[in-house]
Amino acid sequence: MGHNSTMAWRLLPLLLLLASLAHAQTITIGAVLSLSGPAAPLGVAQERSLRLFETQLRTEHGIYGTPVNFVILDDGSSPLTATRQVRALLEAHTPHALICCTTDAASLAIIDLVEQAGVLTLALSSAEAITWPPAERFWLFGTKPNDTARIRAMVLDLAGQGAQSLALMALDNSFGEVAVTALSRLLEPGSLRLVATERYPPDVTVLTPEALWVATRQPSGVLVWGAARDTGVAVDALVRRGYTGPIYVNPAVVTPQGSAHNAALEGVLTAVDAVTAAASLPPGHVTAAETRRYLQLFEGRYGRGSAVAAGGAAWDAALILQAALREAFGYGVSPAQLQPFRFALRDALIAMGPVVGATAVFDYHLGDHLGIVPRSLVIAQLVRGAWRGVR
């Protein structure tokens, strides 16, 4: 008997098992999104991405022949409604997994509910509390870069340029504390040295002395972590004091409506997801193939200018669940056994290894429920009011 025939006989029991599981029932994925209310432009793009992925799964005959059905409910951009809708999904549709929610407030509101229900949930939120601390998040995982993930990517980028030191200018409040905490976790002995930390109040209008002191420390790079107005003040002060090194900022400080403000930030750097930087994605970027596939499918159906970037996290949530479902089927647990299969799906998510998405690469671990590989984010520079990928 040839090698190929022997291999086929060895695989036969697994194939028979998968075939029996495949016809057990439909896999149900519940989603609660903001299809109305202030967050509707984002929620509708997310719904479109999930429906698009559902269509792709249908052409592939589901997961090993098992149909996958998405049940999507509207939370009206309300955290309270989101909680009610998640409860309705759990009671009426018994989903194998959940995707929720469009807004940070709604995603935070449903944490206790999904943890008590014991259902794998992928959050479309960048709130730090979604995935931290991981010891308190058994069932909840993230799909969107939070501030810590972005700062980690920027620190690695600076180190990758051969830099040896970093300075921080940040708001003297809880927002700025995120950067302080992130750097305390990231700057290990032997890596970049933090040579200056300057905190300032939210209502600051002048940062000349602070910027001068930071510049005299001669850091290889400066991270400015604040809101839109104070970041502009800090960057302007650094430039006026003669600082010529790279300045990294929070991408949220740049808005389409802030053209005059954005001009003051020309040349600053940040970390964004690959879909946001799709128009200038660096050659050979790790997500390039999946990013292009997502854009071609999305824009092919809905056209350009259809909030395509907002749907990227939802597309990746579905892609991650597809990979986890394929892994879970190999555990020999039938989807008809709801809670055992939910546990199998959660274990599969952690065990399956990296998934290359459209926005980033995801590799979940017990201590990392966000799972975003830092170097899979794109370092982008502000050029004429828009982020342009540089590496």
Side-chain angles (χ1 to χ4, degrees):
M1 183 178 290
H3 174 75
N4 290 339
S5 298
T6 302
M7 184 62 68
W9 278 107
R10 288 177 179 173
L11 289 175
L12 184 58
L14 176 59
L15 294 174
L16 290 174
L17 171 63
L18 292 176
S20 65
L21 293 176
H23 295 289
Q25 67 171 58
T26 298
I27 293 292
T28 300
I29 297 174
V32 174
L33 307 172
S34 298
L35 306 181
S36 61
L42 303 178
V44 169
Q46 291 165 352
E47 181 196 30
R48 287 176 169 179
S49 292
L50 293 184
R51 293 303 183 198
L52 195 60
F53 200 93
E54 187 178 32
T55 300
Q56 291 297 300
L57 282 174
R58 195 173 298 123
T59 63
E60 298 170 8
H61 306 291
I63 307 294
Y64 298 126
T66 302
V68 180
N69 181 42
F70 285 77
V71 179
I72 302 176
L73 302 182
D74 177 22
D75 66 16
S77 302
S78 162
L80 183 61
T81 304
T83 302
R84 287 201 299 264
Q85 296 290 54
V86 168
R87 186 174 288 110
L89 273 175
L90 292 170
E91 293 175 355
H93 298 279
T94 56
H96 295 91
L98 290 175
I99 297 173
C100 180
C101 304
T102 299
T103 66
D104 287 355
S107 298
L108 293 170
I110 58 97
I111 290 177
D112 289 343
L113 183 56
V114 300
E115 290 290 342
Q116 292 167 8
V119 56
L120 175 64
T121 301
L122 298 185
L124 307 178
S125 167
S126 60
E128 296 280 330
I130 290 297
T131 56
W132 190 267
E136 299 177 11
R137 302 288 181 266
F138 189 85
W139 294 100
L140 193 64
F141 295 79
T143 62
K144 192 173 180 181
N146 58 21
D147 290 341
T148 297
R150 295 182 190 278
I151 292 171
R152 181 181 288 114
M154 289 184 263
V155 167
L156 288 174
D157 178 68
L158 183 61
Q161 307 308 307
Q164 297 183 353
S165 60
L166 172 70
L168 172 67
M169 297 183 71
L171 280 169
D172 191 14
N173 58 14
S174 58
F175 184 86
E177 196 63 31
V178 170
V180 174
T181 302
L183 291 179
S184 69
R185 296 176 188 157
L186 298 172
L187 300 183
E188 300 175 355
S191 65
L192 289 175
R193 293 177 294 109
L194 187 62
V195 295
T197 299
E198 190 63 47
R199 307 290 295 273
Y200 52 83
D203 59 351
V204 68
T205 56
V206 177
L207 283 171
T208 301
E210 293 85 351
L212 179 60
W213 185 77
V214 167
T216 60
R217 307 300 294 174
Q218 298 184 320
S220 303
V222 178
L223 173 64
V224 179
W225 205 253
R229 189 186 60 80
D230 65 270
T231 296
V233 172
V235 170
D236 179 68
L238 284 167
V239 173
R240 289 179 181 276
R241 300 286 71 75
Y243 181 73
T244 58
I247 301 174
Y248 296 84
V249 303
N250 176 4
V253 303
V254 174
T255 61
Q257 297 79 23
S259 56
H261 164 74
N262 293 347
L265 297 175
E266 186 78 3
V268 297
L269 298 167
T270 196
V272 298
D273 68 81
V275 172
T276 297
S280 57
L281 203 60
H285 186 72
V286 65
T287 72
E290 186 61 28
T291 303
R292 282 195 299 268
R293 182 170 85 102
Y294 167 63
L295 290 172
Q296 288 170 356
L297 290 170
F298 194 101
E299 293 178 344
R301 176 176 293 189
Y302 304 114
R304 292 182 177 272
S306 49
V308 61
W315 175 269
D316 282 352
L319 191 70
I320 291 163
L321 286 177
Q322 179 188 39
L325 284 164
R326 287 173 173 166
E327 180 83 9
F329 269 121
Y331 293 176
V333 181
S334 169
Q337 299 173 280
L338 182 62
Q339 204 55 40
F341 190 79
R342 284 175 174 173
F343 271 100
L345 191 56
R346 189 259 183 194
D347 291 347
L349 182 79
I350 294 171
M352 67 187 180
V355 174
V356 179
T359 64
V361 177
F362 301 86
D363 191 6
Y364 297 101
H365 300 281
L366 288 175
D368 184 1
H369 280 217
L370 181 58
I372 290 178
V373 176
R375 293 191 185 278
S376 68
L377 296 179
V378 178
I379 299 302
Q381 186 172 40
L382 191 65
V383 179
R384 292 189 293 277
W387 292 118
R388 177 177 296 173
V390 292
R391 52 186 172 269

